[in-house]
Amino acid sequence: LYVDEVNLLDDHLVDLLIDVSASGINLIEREGLSIDHPAQFVLVGSGNPEEGELRPQLLDRFAFSVDVTTPGNLEERVKVVKLRQEFDDNPEAFEEKWLSKEIALAKKIRAARTKLSKVKVPEKTLEKIAALCLMLKTDGLRGELSLSKAARACAALNGSLSVTEEHVKRVAVMSLRHRLRRDPLDESSSDTRVKKIISEVFD
């Protein structure tokens, strides 16, 4: 379920999303009609934080958070423009050019899915995941749960049956950056704060 400008949703819609994601049942009631049905979905949202903040109850439901920014590198900006021009000139040829990479990636993801249940998180790595969340003062245990799941997925995608510290480090920022409490005395970004604690725990 994709929601654009998720941070601008009305409160009653946010409550509905939280209820349905927790219960797995969507209840529709209007004009004497009452229907319920199973609703299993992955919630994907986008929004500009400067236009309004996401309610903490909903923010906590997102396993990952990424910051999409404009490239600051001249070479990357030129590459984006050239790729866009290439697509505009001949969309079919552009699609064919990248099709083999898309197929290879899809195959890799399917293989990772079949392997995922066999991937284990060593006790020491799990302790470091918990220590990381503890030092960052994340609320509840969703930080540990989402980080350990993401690290297992990362390991499976890379063909490993055991989660290493490198797997954890690769997914830690996007798993934890949105779970930090605001610190009025610390003006550094959430990404910087997470990276700092990662270096303390793992290095």
Side-chain angles (χ1 to χ4, degrees), residues 27-48:
L27 177 63
I28 302 168
E29 290 184 320
R30 59 169 64 99
E31 297 175 2
L33 180 70
S34 181
I35 299 173
D36 63 66
H37 64 89
Q40 301 288 329
F41 57 88
V42 173
L43 182 62
V44 179
S46 63
N48 183 352

Side-chain angles (χ1 to χ4, degrees), residues 133-146:
C133 292
L134 195 61
M135 290 175 72
L136 286 168
K137 298 178 181 173
T138 60
D139 289 325
L141 292 170
R142 282 211 172 111
E144 284 92 336
L145 291 170
S146 64

Side-chain angles (χ1 to χ4, degrees), residues 88-114:
D88 288 341
D89 292 343
N90 194 335
E92 292 80 12
F94 185 89
E95 184 179 338
E96 192 174 330
K97 176 183 174 182
W98 294 96
L99 186 60
S100 60
K101 287 189 177 183
E102 291 286 328
I103 291 171
L105 179 59
K107 187 177 177 182
K108 189 176 179 182
I109 292 170
R110 282 194 296 270
R113 280 180 171 165
T114 61

Side-chain angles (χ1 to χ4, degrees), residues 1 68 73 80 89 111 121 134:
L1 177 63
V68 180
N73 178 295
V80 170
D89 292 343
V121 185
L134 195 61

Side-chain angles (χ1 to χ4, degrees), residues 12-109:
H12 76 280
L13 291 174
V14 172
D15 293 337
L16 181 62
L17 272 176
I18 292 171
D19 289 344
V20 175
S21 67
S23 68
I25 302 292
N26 183 31
L27 177 63
I28 302 168
E29 290 184 320
R30 59 169 64 99
E31 297 175 2
L33 180 70
S34 181
I35 299 173
D36 63 66
H37 64 89
Q40 301 288 329
F41 57 88
V42 173
L43 182 62
V44 179
S46 63
N48 183 352
E50 293 177 6
E51 294 176 354
E53 292 193 4
L54 201 59
R55 268 179 48 189
Q57 300 95 321
L58 185 57
L59 183 62
D60 191 43
R61 300 281 169 172
F62 287 98
F64 310 117
S65 168
V66 292
D67 195 13
V68 180
T69 58
T70 305
N73 178 295
L74 178 64
E75 187 179 334
E76 283 183 12
R77 294 173 81 104
V78 171
K79 184 179 177 181
V80 170
V81 173
K82 287 169 76 175
L83 283 169
R84 179 66 208 201
Q85 286 176 348
E86 191 180 330
F87 173 79
D88 288 341
D89 292 343
N90 194 335
E92 292 80 12
F94 185 89
E95 184 179 338
E96 192 174 330
K97 176 183 174 182
W98 294 96
L99 186 60
S100 60
K101 287 189 177 183
E102 291 286 328
I103 291 171
L105 179 59
K107 187 177 177 182
K108 189 176 179 182
I109 292 170

Side-chain angles (χ1 to χ4, degrees), residues 147 151 164-173 198-199 202-203:
L147 179 51
T164 67
E165 292 184 2
E166 286 307 311
H167 296 136
V168 176
K169 286 195 266 190
R170 282 187 68 181
V171 296
V173 173
I198 288 171
S199 66
F202 288 99
D203 299 335

